[in-house]
Amino acid sequence: MDTTIPSTLHDISPDPKSHSDGNGLGNPSVPPSAMTYDDIFPGLPETAIGVRTDCTIGKWNNKLRVSSRNVTQVFHIPPEERRVDSSNKFGEGDLLKTCADIMQSTGATIETSYAKDQSLTFVVIGKQDSVLEAKREILKRFQTQSSSAVEIPKEYHGFILGKGGVKLKELEKQTATKITIPKETESSGRIVVTGPKEGIEKALHEIQMISDERSKQAYERLEIPKIYHPFITGAHNETIKSLTEGSGVKVNIPPLSVQKDEISIAGERDGVLKVKHAIIQIYEEMKRKCATVSVEVRKSQHKYVIGPKGAGIAEILAESGVSVEMPPTDSDKETITLRGPQEKLGIALTKVYEKANSVCTAEILAPSWIHRHIIGKKGAGIRAITQDYPKVHVEMEDKADKIIVEGPVEEVERVRVALQANVEDLLSKLTFADIVVDPKYHKHIIGKGGSNVNRLKEETGVTINIPDERSSTIRIEGTPNGVNQAKAELMEMVTKMENEREKDILIEHRFHKNIIGAKGEKIREIRDMFHQVQVTFPDSSEKSDVVKIRGPKQDVDATYKYLQKLYKELLESSYSVKVPIYKEFHKNVIGKGGANIRKIREETSTRIDLPPEGSDSDMIVITGRKEDVEKARDRILKIQSELVSIIAEDVEIPAKYHQSFIGAGGKLIQSIMEDCGGVQIKFPPSESGSNKVLIRGPKEEVEKAKKTLIEMSNEKNLTGYTETIRSKPEHHRFLIGRNGSNIRKIRELTGARIVFPSDSEANNTKERDIITIVGREDAVKKAREELENRIKELDSVVELEMHVEPKYHRHFVARRGEILHEISDQYGGVTVSFPRSGVDSDRVVLKGAKECVEAARHRIEEIVNDLEQQVTIDCVIPQKFHRTIMGSKGTRVQNITTEFDVKIKFPEKSPVDTELDHVNGQQPEGESAIDDAPKACDVIRITGRQDRCEAAKNALIALVPITVEVSVPYDLHRYIIGQKGKDVREMMTTHDVNIKIPSAEQQSEAIQISGPAAKVEAARQALLDRVTELEKEREDRVLRNFAVHVEVPPEYHSKIIGKKGAVISKLRDDFQVNITMPKPEDPNPQLITIKGYEENANQAKEAVLKMVQDLDDLIKQDLPIDQRVHSRLIGRRGRNIRQVMDQYKVEIRFPFEGGDPDIVTIIGREEKVQECADYLLNLVEEYMQDIDDNDSSQQYLRAPKQEGQYNQRNPGQPGFIVAGAPWEQQAPPHQGQQRVPVVAPNTASNEEFPSFGKAGPNTPSGGAPHWGPRR
């Protein structure tokens, strides 16, 4: 058979006329217009090279050779050189994590092997640079690092570094070390190399060679094959030491681990030449004498030949003069080569076999999973077996079901017997099980800090090995019962987690505390409701809005909906508004005993916060749902309106002027409100287009504001012109004048309005010095001129001298000049200079603006006058009340000092308080309220003017707490406390007292109220008012609990309840009663209980009886209706049948499973039932006719076509014809044979479709059928 492709292709004649019909004749039936095979399937274009005639099919099997740029390096870290892995984390260690970090940073692939003898093997794959860098990092992190130093002259350091430090980096990479070269500023030439021992040797060798090359002394480099280096070095370096001793010559021979032939010699020239000559002599002699012999020794015995730190090889070299060449440790070769004089080889060979056979090896079959149990905790198990046999080495490999014991023959046998017994004992007691778990569930199985898996271990006594994320097999080892129990629990946990899902919900971070609640109470309630769900909030420092929900799908969805609803309620209830209420009316808003504010809070479900005591603010803050907040605001404003003549009035201001009235940043309208006694002026929204402006406040002030607005409105170009002027903020109070007198004069003079920065703007450094002037252009310019003149006067500095007696100087400069700083800040930055300490002078100098200096002088005179009249009085109050008098953070005493302008000093606390407790701060009968000789710890000193000190003393005494008892029925205590103590806390906060309610064990009716006398009385009255309310509520509850009973047949209960409880809910709402339906287990299942006010309960009973009577009047009729039309009667989602029921006021029931499938029941009044039945029967008749017609039409449907019918064709149409296809060709005739027609190929035949490169065994000589275009 000819297998060359070109000859096969050209065997087919290109002449179309040669096509045959299989009989060797042309095909006359092919029409001239028929498409040819070559037209339909054109061949690929020819290449310029042409077809090679010698290319056989078999050559397709030749593989394309691609050179790889990756290298692989294997290296070991012996156990004695390993760094200890201090990681105690469950399921992970430093090894895998560190390797992952190195792979990420270097791009190399690292595989690790961890042997039972604690040694590590690393396989590093990647590009050359990546592998070297990875190796360096591995050795740095896992191998014990040592260091060595070498003295190199400073002038050679640059050659070691290389250009840009490239040479040093390359050397560090090659040797896996860290090389530290001293800085240029340092005088030391000491180079320190840190890393593994082998790397240090390589690095020191390279550094020394560089140094020697650059040395000015003689330097020689010899190329001597590595195999002769041991003879030059000698055993234990004895030969090289003898050569260099006393000559000062250094010979650098690469260590065994460095595969280099180069030996360098450096030193004095004569010494170098002498040593060189001696080395060459040794080399030539050994080259002439040396012979080699190779022996096969098991790899496991090589270490015994080498000995500790190469002592075995050195001993053989010393005794026989023969070098022992060992294969690399990472190689599988077992051949050891002996090199030396022929007559010494026998001795060396004997020594090698002695050392190799000094130990024997035994194998014990033991499943790999049981190895860790043999080793025991921290190696205790294996140590107990081998502690008496220090020469025995036990090796257990991962994934190998055997244990290898090596050592002296007798000791190995004893250890083997002990291990065998231990293995058999463990196998009889222990078993294991593997379960496959998706790695994503591993952390949940482990639990926080290993809690879950540790609990399971303790309960079952098994060992559970959970792999890293790359494996999914968890192994359980232990007793059979423990393994089965642990496996069942783990599978249950996994099944539960597989059915779980996690969902995130966005809840604003500010609401997280509200949902969690105090001490987690609210979130605990949510978790109790959905006990299988875990709700996780982000850490408060993250400021994240994402809350995670995890658990079963249905519970997660339910929790998600619940939290969404809760979040929506929080959003709605967080609407806040500030209501300005005159300070003197706040007590009226609170009401007697807090009754008013409590009632508003309860009825509007809002939180109402009043400004703290002592605050100048008059704003009451209301928080809650928007509609509730607006209700509460209206009610509070109503209280204020009722107390004074608060009115609300509308004024017509053209909408186009509204923005001008408000002014930039609302400054203009704010100034108008302040001028008019703090009235409220509210403009309509800009998009409304309304002209109505609402003014609210006292009648006189409202009229004043209305007049001002109308006047401004009537002016042409009202605020069409605005200018700003700058002035130091400390001068503003002088520009305004006392009670606004100065600014009022300018306004009356010019007609312009002048607006100073508000308190909030005063904190803004950019706007605090800006004064805005608004009005007509001429008025604004005139006002600006007046202000500029006044500002100029204030900016002009004058100096004033006054006299203050020296005894008062200390008062001004005390506490780092606190009073002087206050005067300076208050009076435009005036500088006040008192004489220095020790100078006897009463001269005080003031510098600043004239008005500021005058005001400051006047203030200093006032202070001096107060000091002259200053007295100190004592107020004796028992020390135990001092803390109460001070108040929270000293607020109460601060308010008194501010109000009366005095100083109050409390005494130091007495270490032992022997004072007897006195009821309500009173002394026992017969003693005076203030003892003639009071204790120092009870004396409070008040300093100030006499009258002010007395007033402050009275205020302090009024704060001394007293305690009163109020008798309240015990059964009302829980209502006074409120839910979780809410009500009693609110009462204590409102009245600033302490209320003590007796515990349940005491069964006492006495409630104690402690606090200042005035506040205690108010709280006592509020408590009594609350008791009166509760007693009325109790009486009302008794009236509301009147009960009546009515018997109703159970079949009517569903009608009374209604769909989704609609009917019974309407009854409850209409009659304000509670209706309780009987339970199936009740003695009388017909008895319905109705509770409420007597009249309402009776009315509800009559309504129920009427419903029962109406139900008794109903009849039931069964209609036989073919089940095939039920769905059409019902309609989509029951739409059709509901329309019928609504139309005829009846109930229609379709059959349930187990009943007659064709019976439909109608329930209702007799006439309605009959009408509905007739209607349904008419519909059924129509539907059944449709079904019958549909069944009949099925008979006339066309039967499916038989096979072959689809291939019928009009005989007049020839169809689609392809001429000249390969299956129409004839193979070329062989000599003496006729042309053979070619049939369509059989694709299943190995002969017609042979494999590439192989010829079929029975290939006909005529050639295989040819495919493809003709060439």
Side-chain angles (χ1 to χ4, degrees), residues 93-112:
D94 286 345
L95 178 63
L96 296 178
K97 184 178 178 183
T98 306
C99 287
D101 293 342
I102 295 171
M103 286 193 288
Q104 186 174 2
S105 62
T106 63
T109 302
I110 303 173
E111 297 178 5
T112 61

Side-chain angles (χ1 to χ4, degrees), residues 905-1189:
K905 183 178 181 182
F906 282 81
E908 296 292 331
K909 187 176 181 181
S910 174
V912 179
D913 189 3
T914 57
E915 180 76 27
L916 295 174
D917 290 343
H918 302 145
V919 178
N920 296 338
Q922 303 296 322
Q923 296 283 359
E925 190 175 341
E927 295 184 19
S928 60
I930 300 176
D931 198 352
D932 293 337
K935 291 187 177 184
C937 63
D938 295 339
V939 178
I940 301 171
R941 299 190 183 280
I942 308 171
T943 303
R945 295 172 68 98
Q946 181 71 37
D947 54 340
R948 294 175 183 172
C949 288
E950 292 295 338
K953 179 179 179 181
N954 294 334
L956 286 175
I957 293 173
L959 291 175
V960 174
I962 65 169
T963 301
V964 298
E965 288 188 354
V966 181
S967 180
V968 177
Y970 175 74
D971 60 329
L972 298 181
H973 285 192
R974 61 194 182 101
Y975 300 108
I976 298 232
I977 295 171
Q979 187 178 12
K980 297 180 181 178
K982 177 185 173 185
D983 291 349
V984 74
R985 279 199 304 272
E986 187 178 316
M987 189 177 292
M988 288 191 291
T989 302
T990 303
H991 299 285
D992 195 15
V993 295
N994 182 46
I995 300 175
K996 184 179 180 182
I997 299 177
S999 62
E1001 293 80 11
Q1002 294 175 327
Q1003 294 286 318
S1004 172
E1005 293 187 349
I1007 295 178
Q1008 295 181 344
I1009 307 175
S1010 303
K1015 295 187 177 182
V1016 165
E1017 179 57 29
R1020 187 185 73 83
Q1021 188 59 46
L1023 183 59
L1024 292 175
D1025 293 344
R1026 179 64 176 152
V1027 169
T1028 304
E1029 290 178 15
L1030 291 173
E1031 287 176 343
K1032 289 180 181 178
E1033 290 177 4
R1034 181 167 57 182
E1035 293 172 3
D1036 187 60
R1037 277 198 300 275
V1038 173
L1039 295 175
R1040 287 203 309 268
N1041 279 334
F1042 179 80
V1044 296
H1045 305 285
V1046 57
E1047 291 190 354
V1048 177
E1051 59 266 24
Y1052 294 157
H1053 288 186
S1054 60
K1055 298 294 182 183
I1056 292 173
I1057 295 172
K1059 190 175 182 181
K1060 296 183 180 179
V1063 177
I1064 198 169
S1065 297
K1066 189 172 186 305
L1067 287 173
R1068 287 169 177 160
D1069 294 341
D1070 289 348
F1071 299 104
Q1072 295 297 306
V1073 294
N1074 182 32
I1075 303 174
T1076 306
M1077 303 299 292
K1079 297 178 180 177
E1081 62 271 14
D1082 288 349
N1084 187 353
Q1086 297 186 1
L1087 196 65
I1088 297 176
T1089 304
I1090 305 172
K1091 285 186 178 181
Y1093 292 112
E1094 183 176 358
E1095 182 181 356
N1096 294 350
N1098 288 326
Q1099 290 177 356
K1101 178 180 178 180
E1102 291 175 5
V1104 171
L1105 291 174
K1106 185 175 183 306
M1107 290 176 64
V1108 172
Q1109 184 178 356
D1110 291 340
L1111 292 170
D1112 286 338
D1113 293 339
L1114 302 179
I1115 66 165
K1116 182 191 296 184
Q1117 182 177 346
D1118 293 338
L1119 285 182
I1121 296 177
D1122 194 312
Q1123 60 180 324
R1124 290 178 292 173
V1125 300
H1126 285 188
S1127 60
R1128 294 189 65 180
L1129 289 175
I1130 295 170
R1132 187 177 181 184
R1133 297 184 180 178
R1135 183 181 301 168
N1136 295 350
I1137 203 66
R1138 276 200 302 273
Q1139 289 179 354
V1140 175
M1141 289 192 291
D1142 292 343
Q1143 182 179 351
Y1144 293 100
K1145 307 298 182 186
V1146 295
E1147 181 183 356
I1148 301 173
R1149 294 179 183 173
F1150 285 85
F1152 292 98
E1153 186 176 355
D1156 189 339
D1158 292 334
I1159 296 300
V1160 176
T1161 304
I1162 308 174
I1163 303 172
R1165 296 190 178 278
E1166 185 176 0
E1167 63 277 7
K1168 295 293 184 182
V1169 168
Q1170 192 58 46
E1171 290 175 8
C1172 181
D1174 293 342
Y1175 176 76
L1176 287 180
L1177 290 174
N1178 289 335
L1179 280 178
V1180 168
E1181 185 178 353
E1182 181 182 340
Y1183 294 158
M1184 287 302 298
Q1185 183 63 40
D1186 292 344
I1187 291 174
D1188 293 341
D1189 292 345

Side-chain angles (χ1 to χ4, degrees), residues 801-805 809 842-844 864:
E801 184 178 309
M802 66 179 297
H803 298 277
V804 177
E805 291 185 31
H809 290 188
D842 61 354
R843 181 172 175 270
V844 177
V864 170

